Amino acid sequence: PRFVYVEPPTGELVGRVPLKQIVAETSDLIERLSIETALTMTKDNRAMAAQLLGLSRQSLYVKLRRFGMGGLEPSDAELH
């Protein structure tokens, strides 16, 4: 497996942004990168990508919509 290195939060965030927000944004970034990688590895086969990620296909679609990926737009509820 190939791993993606994500830069840790720098001094520009710590102390100015709540830790909860830093963790949430970092988690979102890792999740998005993982989904992109799985889709690339499977040549955009969403069922296989979901399986690689240990998700149901429905859960993958929810995440794709949430991140505005794969031609799926986030719903209004997911934007807030």
Side-chain angles (χ1 to χ4, degrees), residues 11-53:
E12 62 196 48
L13 294 178
V14 175
R16 292 185 338 142
V17 177
L19 179 61
K20 187 174 185 175
Q21 183 180 346
I22 293 170
V23 170
E25 289 177 10
T26 302
S27 179
D28 285 350
L29 175 62
I30 292 168
E31 194 168 24
R32 184 183 177 100
L33 290 171
S34 297
I35 292 168
E36 287 174 355
T37 300
L39 288 170
T40 299
M41 289 172 65
T42 62
K43 296 181 171 63
D44 288 324
N45 182 319
R46 293 177 181 181
M48 287 177 61
Q51 186 175 16
L52 275 177
L53 295 166

Side-chain angles (χ1 to χ4, degrees), residues 64-78:
L64 289 170
R65 208 172 291 110
R66 181 172 141 223
F67 293 120
M69 298 170 67
L72 302 174
E73 296 299 320
S75 69
D76 289 337
E78 291 168 327

